[in-house]
Amino acid sequence: MITKETPVEEFIDKPGVVAYCVKNGVSPYSCSGDFPCDLGTLLKLGKVSDPEAFIKGLNDLLAAN
């Protein structure tokens, strides 16, 4: 299960994650490689208005795949 504390690099390679992030206005590559961070930080940087809904949608996507 993905939470705000989950490092982005743990799930960025899962099928559909990049498309989900882009569709919701977040670039997952902002927190990878030389600049690792957790999902909560990524959502804060992306100014996501409802982080809990984003995380729920991401967990639903991962559960479906």
Side-chain angles (χ1 to χ4, degrees):
M1 179 174 190
I2 304 294
T3 67
K4 286 182 181 179
E5 291 77 28
T6 304
V8 172
E9 290 185 339
E10 283 188 18
F11 59 85
I12 195 170
D13 292 337
K14 305 287 185 191
V17 168
V18 172
Y20 176 83
C21 289
V22 170
K23 180 179 172 186
N24 289 286
V26 175
S27 172
Y29 298 109
S30 300
C31 286
S32 63
D34 292 337
F35 306 101
C37 66
D38 59 35
L39 180 58
T41 301
L42 175 66
L43 297 179
K44 188 178 289 184
L45 290 172
K47 300 180 181 174
V48 173
S49 61
D50 189 351
E52 298 303 324
F54 183 97
I55 293 169
K56 181 185 181 315
L58 183 58
N59 278 309
D60 290 347
L61 171 80
L62 293 173
N65 290 329

